[in-house]
Amino acid sequence: MVDLISFIISAAIVLGGALGVVLFANPVHNALSLIASFFGVAVLFIIQEAHFLALVQIVVYGGAIVVLFLFVIMLLGVDRIEAVEEEALVGQRGTALLAGVLLFGVLLGGLFFSGPDADVAPEAGRTAITGRQAQVVPLTDEQNVTQLGRDLFTRNILAFEATGLLLTIATVGAVVLVRNRGAEDLVVDEPGSAAA
Amino acid sequence: MGHPFLNDGVNFGDVIMVIVMVVISFTLCLVATMLMVWFERKVVSRLQNRIGPNVAGPFGLLQTLADGIKLFFKEDLVPTRSDPFVFKLAPYLSLIPAFLTFTVVPIAGSFDNDPIAEGSVNGSSTIFGREFLWQGADLPVGILFFLAMSSLGIYGIMLAGWSSGSKYPLLGSVRATAQAISYEAALGLSLAAVILVSGTLSTSGIVNGQAGDLARLNIVATGFIPFIVFLIAGTAELNRPPFDLVEAEQELVGGFHTEYSSIRFALFFLAEFMNTVTMGAIIVTLFFGGPAPLFDLPLIDFPSAWYIGFILFFAKLLVFLFIFVWFRATLPRLRYDQLMDLGWKVLIPISLGWLIVLGAIRVAQDGNVGIFDNSPTADTVAVLLIAFVIGGLGYALLRKAVENARTDRLAEAGLTMVANPDSDELSVGSATAHDAHGGH
């Protein structure tokens, strides 16, 4: 009962935040709605007793990523209501609509056609989409983080390393893009030059 | 497992317990903040050869209360160009995380680090037949909660500056954001060292692991460096001097709170001092064993009453609050490039390197390295030596890279580098610099 009430409240926050992201005209208000949405997701994690995921959700998404969004919005000064009448790319809206409908269809399909296979016991958690058995292990508070860490650094070590590499490439790429400017754009800000 | 609210229905006694805890935490926070403001003003005054507040109440203790009441009756301004909703929201976004963080700090109780022995307490006390811990909430991931709240606290400052609709607050909030992002990483990495040594994310677990022996204290067990990094990064996270570029009066009027007045300003003020108290409490919890005694005195038998824990905790906290005030009275404000250099090129590499070294030492102590047969101690020494060689190489590389980048950038701008023998930094030849400016 308490689970259900908590779920309804946090789901309302998630959906309300998501709508706010799309519907508000001001980019800063959009970013704030996004935080609300992330918070709702964190509460959903807590209801599932995934405390670690809940707090990582807040630290990484609610804290770091949206802070960076806001930082860029403020620094670039795009924090005013934008004209959305014109399409930036030709056919952007139609494609977006199509992609949205397709994604929604896939989600609905997943919801209706997945679920426990009739042949195996429900706890085995075999799903119709991938056909592979999902790992469903009851977590205790103490083992929560341990299990997650062990799984991440043994079974999924390749994916983990690949993600790390991807982030490194992104960082290097960003630096190269910024540093490749001509000398005429360079602002002299080295220590000591101010006195010259 | 889990919270009783979510599983076996709501127990009336539990509700009362939670409400009492929340009320106690909240009141304690408010009183602590009030005293902190007074303490800071008094100590800074003494360090600057002044007297400080001495009129309201004994020793000026009620000065904060008087200021608070005064602020309450001041005119409440909302600038015309502001974003009214966000402008009104921002002070609360600053205040609420400040209060919430304190709930995971164990403030009393007696810890003996002995899970097996009969009558072991490990921080819990029993009142009215109910066992409980002296903290608002004992989350299984308590210390991450602190990180989450400190990363949320930045929104208050950021949105306050943005929503004010004028230049100085915006500059202040952009600075605050850049600073918070830079130092959060160092803060998290030094925290990871503590978690690695303690083996738990729960704050009461971390405190309990440090009880009973000086060598078990995390400041010793993590090898001092995470503590130093945490103290510096924590001060930066608080936007306290010498890292107070966010509200540098000489440059930014008042920084993010320039446009704030009346009770909204008071809320920011409250949040700032609340955060200081909380950061001190977190440092005490992480590195100095919180309410647990620093060492076992065999001559004096510590009575395992909860209030001994509270006295110890408060004494340790007071030391750190004094250190924060001392920083403020002593150190000049950092320049912006120094702030960024310290965060990215010193604190993050050191804390990351040290975390890896700590991990390697633990592997060696478990006897899983095998350089020397059957001697984990020799292995540990070998691992340490290798780590220092690699660390030295890494440091040399980083320094070379920083220097090369600087030379390249100056070369692109048509400047040359002249080594200044008196300082560590390199300065730019003035004649060529002058030419380059003329060319622009």
Side-chain angles (χ1 to χ4, degrees):
Chain A
M1 185 59 194
V2 182
D3 264 10
L4 185 68
I5 296 170
S6 323
F7 174 77
I8 291 171
I9 294 172
S10 44
I13 295 173
V14 172
L15 289 180
L19 284 177
V21 174
V22 185
L23 296 179
F24 279 130
N26 189 320
V28 173
H29 294 171
N30 296 144
L32 284 178
S33 308
L34 194 60
I35 303 170
S37 193
F38 285 149
F39 252 89
V41 174
V43 176
L44 287 177
F45 277 136
I46 289 178
I47 297 173
Q48 301 294 320
E49 307 229 331
H51 299 110
F52 181 76
L53 277 184
L55 284 180
V56 167
Q57 168 89 15
I58 294 178
V59 173
V60 175
Y61 288 96
I65 290 185
V66 180
V67 165
L68 278 177
F69 281 179
L70 281 174
F71 185 61
V72 172
I73 290 170
M74 288 176 186
L75 205 64
L76 298 183
V78 291
D79 52 336
R80 55 189 75 89
I81 296 154
E82 304 225 352
V84 283
E85 270 70 49
E86 282 177 41
E87 277 189 295
L89 296 168
V90 181
Q92 191 185 15
R93 284 208 185 138
T95 321
L97 196 67
L98 190 70
V101 168
L102 277 178
L103 184 66
F104 191 63
V106 167
L107 286 177
L108 272 189
L111 206 62
F112 282 118
F113 298 113
S114 72
D117 208 320
D119 300 335
V120 291
E123 338 34 292
R126 196 184 294 269
T127 59
I129 293 178
T130 58
R132 284 187 60 185
Q133 191 162 334
Q135 201 188 22
V136 183
V137 184
L139 291 169
T140 59
D141 280 347
E142 208 48 59
Q143 289 169 338
N144 207 326
V145 182
T146 319
Q147 265 175 324
L148 199 69
R150 187 156 291 151
D151 202 56
L152 199 60
F153 291 106
T154 54
R155 276 159 46 98
N156 300 312
I157 184 70
L158 192 67
F160 180 82
E161 293 288 342
T163 313
L165 193 65
L166 193 69
L167 290 175
T168 314
I169 293 170
T171 313
V172 172
V175 172
V176 168
L177 280 178
V178 173
R179 294 292 296 134
N180 250 0
R181 283 207 216 126
E184 63 273 10
D185 296 340
L186 208 83
V187 182
V188 183
D189 61 354
E190 293 300 323
S193 62
Chain B
M1 297 305 285
H3 205 275
F5 277 16
L6 297 180
N7 290 338
D8 37 15
V10 181
N11 181 326
F12 185 66
D14 286 336
V15 176
I16 296 287
M17 205 71 207
V18 169
I19 290 173
V20 168
M21 299 276 248
V22 169
V23 170
I24 290 177
S25 299
F26 187 73
T27 321
L28 212 66
C29 281
L30 277 179
V31 174
T33 311
M34 206 185 107
L35 291 178
M36 178 63 203
V37 175
W38 170 82
F39 178 74
E40 169 140 9
R41 290 179 69 174
K42 207 71 182 167
V43 172
V44 165
S45 299
R46 297 314 307 184
L47 289 170
Q48 294 170 347
N49 219 355
R50 296 184 285 123
I51 294 171
N54 66 341
V55 177
F59 311 106
L61 262 172
L62 298 178
Q63 185 63 48
T64 319
L65 201 64
D67 288 346
I69 293 169
K70 181 200 76 179
L71 276 172
F72 206 79
F73 288 110
K74 290 283 173 182
E75 188 186 354
D76 184 16
L77 285 169
V78 179
T80 330
R81 293 193 56 192
S82 69
D83 184 320
F85 176 71
V86 180
F87 187 80
K88 286 171 190 163
L89 181 73
Y92 299 99
L93 285 183
S94 200
L95 188 69
I96 291 169
F99 272 114
L100 285 182
T101 316
F102 208 81
T103 55
V104 296
V105 178
I107 54 166
S110 90
F111 292 82
D112 56 10
N113 193 17
D114 198 352
I116 309 141
E118 192 67 29
S120 164
V121 277
N122 291 342
S124 64
S125 302
T126 312
I127 285 185
F128 302 132
R130 241 163 234 291
E131 202 176 307
F132 72 105
L133 292 166
W134 288 92
Q135 62 191 85
D138 181 33
L139 306 176
V141 285
I143 206 60
L144 285 183
F145 185 76
F146 154 71
L147 268 190
M149 287 305 121
S150 84
S151 67
L152 288 181
I154 188 66
Y155 283 117
I157 293 177
M158 198 174 185
L159 292 170
W162 173 77
S163 66
S164 295
S166 66
K167 303 285 183 217
Y168 289 123
L170 184 66
L171 278 174
S173 69
V174 168
R175 280 184 181 188
T177 319
Q179 184 173 329
I181 294 168
S182 309
Y183 282 84
E184 196 122 311
L187 199 75
L189 284 170
S190 49
L191 196 67
V194 172
I195 295 168
L196 187 73
V197 169
S198 294
T200 174
L201 291 171
S202 133
T203 41
S204 63
I206 290 174
V207 168
N208 196 39
Q210 300 178 68
D213 192 2
L214 205 56
R216 270 207 290 256
L217 282 185
N218 274 337
I219 182 174
V220 181
T222 57
F224 297 98
I225 287 177
F227 164 69
I228 293 162
V229 173
F230 195 91
L231 186 64
I232 296 173
T235 314
E237 198 73 11
L238 291 172
N239 297 323
R240 278 185 67 86
F243 302 101
D244 60 337
L245 290 97
V246 174
E247 44 188 300
E249 293 85 0
Q250 296 89 334
E251 304 155 21
L252 297 180
V253 190
F256 66 95
H257 60 57
T258 304
E259 304 288 350
Y260 278 85
S261 63
S262 184
I263 195 68
R264 292 202 185 100
F265 172 76
L267 290 180
F268 275 123
F269 198 73
L270 199 65
E272 197 175 316
F273 280 87
M274 187 66 247
N275 275 326
T276 311
V277 175
T278 311
M279 189 59 84
I282 291 283
I283 291 176
V284 167
T285 306
L286 288 179
F287 294 99
F288 290 89
L294 285 176
F295 43 82
D296 247 348
L297 279 177
L299 296 177
I300 310 161
D301 189 21
F302 266 112
S304 45
W306 61 269
Y307 55 84
I308 298 289
F310 184 73
I311 293 167
L312 285 169
F313 173 79
F314 190 72
K316 292 173 191 175
L317 178 60
L318 213 54
V319 171
F320 281 96
L321 295 184
F322 181 78
I323 288 176
F324 282 137
V325 178
W326 198 9
F327 277 172
R328 173 181 163 179
T330 311
L331 298 170
R333 185 181 298 133
L334 264 75
R335 222 169 48 211
Y336 199 72
D337 61 319
Q338 291 171 333
L339 177 88
M340 286 295 148
D341 276 3
L342 181 66
W344 290 101
K345 293 173 192 163
V346 180
L347 293 184
I348 292 178
I350 285 183
S351 47
L352 187 61
W354 195 253
L355 181 65
I356 296 171
V357 170
L358 278 179
I361 290 174
R362 283 180 83 81
V363 172
Q365 278 175 341
D366 289 345
N368 292 337
V369 177
I371 303 173
F372 300 100
D373 287 335
N374 302 325
S375 173
T377 320
D379 275 351
T380 310
V381 174
V383 163
L384 263 179
L385 282 176
I386 296 169
F388 280 121
V389 170
I390 296 175
L393 281 176
Y395 175 74
L397 262 176
L398 180 72
R399 227 187 129 73
K400 185 80 189 122
V402 168
E403 251 179 55
N404 277 0
R406 196 177 278 173
T407 325
D408 285 355
R409 290 222 280 170
L410 287 174
E412 277 176 55
L415 303 173
T416 51
M417 194 88 91
V418 182
N420 184 352
D422 296 330
S423 93
D424 196 35
E425 280 186 8
L426 294 161
S427 58
V428 177
S430 57
T432 42
H434 186 76
D435 289 342
H437 279 303
H440 269 280

